[in-house]
Amino acid sequence: MEVTPPRRRMGSPDSAVSNQLLDATERVMREEGYAAATSRRIAEEAGLKQQLVYYYFETMDDLLLAAFKRRTSRALERIDEEAASRQPIQTIWESWNSTVDAKLVFEFFALANHHDGVREEVNRFMAAARRKHAEAIARQVDEHGLDLGPFSPEALSFMLFSTALLLGREEAMGLTIGHTDVRKLFDWGIARIG
Amino acid sequence: MEVTPPRRRMGSPDSAVSNQLLDATERVMREEGYAAATSRRIAEEAGLKQQLVYYYFETMDDLLLAAFKRRTSRALERIDEEAASRQPIQTIWESWNSTVDAKLVFEFFALANHHDGVREEVNRFMAAARRKHAEAIARQVDEHGLDLGPFSPEALSFMLFSTALLLGREEAMGLTIGHTDVRKLFDWGIARIG
DNA sequence: GTCTATACACCGATAGAC
DNA sequence: GTCTATCGGTGTATAGAC
């Protein structure tokens, strides 16, 4: 009968300091990579003492997971708001392009390769986003008698995400070969569907 | 006048041991992430002493870069061979799907966020692959009077890579929503073009 | 070419005072 | 809630013997 193991005392997960630490974690991960997201480096970035990290988070793994969960819960709120859009496909495309922090996403995706908690949360978020987007697209297709051509709502949901993410990554890295053509292609296709 | 700084003596970059270390580096990065790619962990994985790493590579950054360069030089050879294919689009699609080690690619892409040498090498490789693929596609379009529809060769080159990479990543993570639809979509589109 | 030994920085995490 | 002090472990990298 697994009982909660003995723990040291801890602070509120929604406190101001806790959020400062999560902000600092995002900055460090974006600029220096997940390997640099240590308790010392994050505390320094937040202007706090290293040991405070362990007052607000059980372990470093917990802190990293909390940082990702804060992002996904905000993103899911946004997705729910946008689901009611009059032109969901256009809205989804613009939303991924403007909100996806590609460098950070690649750090979290790499982290997910070997961090069980983060992987589960990435999968949970990606599954929810894909389903919600596919439903919003399918609803609009029904209501307005649109023609998606060879795209299923799920396939379109996948393509909008994967394309925006890779375009964002390459732009952040200074590589843009074919990008104007791809953006024209998506603008054309989205306008064509309605 | 920058002179090569004084260095400790070093072994051949093409030796058997050197390649064992690069093999071990790939395994560690794939299974445990780039943060685990330390001299101790890699040497242990290769069954060698930690200090040997510094006989074959100047620094850990050099080792990581060498590991990535070995992959890209092999991949570019393959791309050159496949450029002569009778059906380059089909060949490129199948090649990305069968050769891209998605977990490892995400580790190197995340590493590229903050490792200058790796970023430059990633950009060099991606630019070369995109151009070579676009040229192969354009040549085939010319010779056989194909119709790419709204796709430019560069845009198609981009989409084949980004889609195969993200499909591969999600499959490796156990997430497959919409995948059969996306694969059907690409099979259909590629068959349609010719 | 590979070994032993080692310097020194940084890591996660805890104990207990204030 | 935040502090000082500290533990044991691991990191990169070097020196020099064999």
Side-chain angles (χ1 to χ4, degrees):
Chain A
M1 306 310 165
E2 279 295 339
V3 184
T4 325
R7 293 165 193 285
R8 80 187 97 85
R9 61 207 176 87
M10 281 184 55
S12 155
D14 275 342
S15 67
V17 174
S18 169
N19 274 288
Q20 282 171 32
L21 287 168
L22 296 180
D23 292 342
T25 301
E26 287 194 6
R27 285 199 299 276
V28 170
M29 282 186 69
R30 187 184 299 106
E31 302 307 325
E32 301 168 42
Y34 70 72
T38 67
S39 60
R40 289 172 213 270
R41 182 69 194 85
I42 287 166
E44 182 195 31
E45 178 72 21
L48 302 167
K49 297 283 179 183
Q50 179 253 342
Q51 295 89 334
L52 262 186
V53 170
Y54 293 95
Y55 178 71
Y56 288 98
F57 300 94
E58 276 286 313
T59 64
M60 285 307 295
D61 275 359
D62 283 348
L63 168 56
L64 263 23
L65 180 55
F68 187 68
K69 279 186 170 173
R70 194 180 62 161
R71 288 192 77 84
T72 54
S73 81
R74 289 174 180 175
L76 283 175
E77 283 176 26
R78 189 183 170 115
I79 286 173
D80 284 333
E81 289 167 16
E82 292 169 345
S85 161
R86 276 202 327 121
Q87 297 182 306
I89 301 171
Q90 171 86 17
T91 302
I92 292 164
W93 176 239
E94 285 171 5
S95 182
W96 280 136
N97 276 295
S98 64
T99 65
V100 168
D101 188 333
K103 282 177 72 173
L104 200 48
V105 169
F106 268 77
E107 291 294 335
F108 275 117
F109 277 15
L111 193 55
N113 283 339
H114 49 96
H115 184 307
D116 295 348
V118 170
R119 179 174 54 255
E120 283 163 24
E121 186 61 22
V122 168
N123 282 356
R124 220 188 320 272
F125 170 73
M126 290 302 301
R130 183 146 313 146
R131 289 213 182 88
K132 285 168 188 281
H133 281 164
E135 280 167 23
I137 293 167
R139 193 175 340 109
Q140 206 66 6
V141 166
D142 270 9
E143 290 176 8
H144 294 73
L146 303 181
D147 180 13
L148 291 183
F151 291 89
S152 74
E154 282 80 8
L156 187 49
S157 174
F158 177 96
M159 297 303 303
L160 291 170
F161 171 73
S162 65
T163 306
L165 178 63
L166 268 286
L167 283 172
R169 194 204 83 90
E170 292 194 355
E171 274 158 27
M173 308 293 270
L175 183 68
T176 61
I177 303 169
H179 282 211
T180 56
D181 290 346
V182 172
R183 294 203 179 275
K184 264 193 249 176
L185 172 65
F186 273 73
D187 290 340
W188 171 85
I190 290 168
R192 189 164 158 280
I193 290 169
Chain B
M1 304 307 168
E2 278 297 338
V3 184
T4 324
R7 293 165 194 286
R8 79 187 98 86
R9 61 208 177 86
M10 281 183 56
S12 155
D14 276 341
S15 67
V17 174
S18 169
N19 274 288
Q20 282 171 31
L21 287 168
L22 296 180
D23 292 342
T25 302
E26 287 194 5
R27 284 199 298 277
V28 171
M29 281 186 70
R30 186 184 300 106
E31 303 306 325
E32 301 168 40
Y34 70 73
T38 66
S39 60
R40 288 181 211 262
R41 182 70 194 85
I42 288 167
E44 181 194 32
E45 178 73 22
L48 302 168
K49 296 282 179 183
Q50 178 254 342
Q51 296 89 333
L52 261 186
V53 171
Y54 294 95
Y55 177 72
Y56 288 97
F57 300 92
E58 278 285 312
T59 64
M60 286 307 295
D61 275 358
D62 283 348
L63 167 57
L64 263 23
L65 180 56
F68 187 68
K69 279 186 170 172
R70 194 180 63 163
R71 287 192 78 85
T72 54
S73 82
R74 288 174 179 173
L76 284 175
E77 282 176 25
R78 188 181 171 116
I79 286 172
D80 284 334
E81 289 168 16
E82 293 169 345
S85 160
R86 276 202 328 119
Q87 297 180 308
I89 300 171
Q90 172 87 18
T91 302
I92 292 164
W93 176 240
E94 285 172 5
S95 182
W96 281 135
N97 276 296
S98 63
T99 64
V100 167
D101 187 332
K103 282 177 71 172
L104 199 49
V105 169
F106 269 77
E107 290 295 334
F108 275 118
F109 277 15
L111 192 56
N113 284 339
H114 49 96
H115 185 307
D116 294 349
V118 170
R119 179 173 54 255
E120 283 164 24
E121 186 61 22
V122 168
N123 282 355
R124 221 189 319 275
F125 170 73
M126 290 302 300
R130 184 146 315 147
R131 289 213 183 87
K132 284 170 187 282
H133 281 165
E135 279 167 24
I137 292 168
R139 193 176 338 108
Q140 205 67 4
V141 166
D142 270 10
E143 289 176 8
H144 294 75
L146 304 182
D147 179 14
L148 291 183
F151 291 88
S152 74
E154 282 80 8
L156 187 51
S157 173
F158 177 97
M159 297 301 305
L160 292 170
F161 171 72
S162 63
T163 306
L165 177 64
L166 268 284
L167 283 172
R169 193 203 84 87
E170 292 194 354
E171 273 159 28
M173 308 294 271
L175 183 69
T176 60
I177 303 170
H179 282 211
T180 56
D181 291 346
V182 171
R183 294 205 177 274
K184 264 194 249 174
L185 172 66
F186 273 73
D187 289 342
W188 171 85
I190 291 169
R192 189 163 158 279
I193 289 167

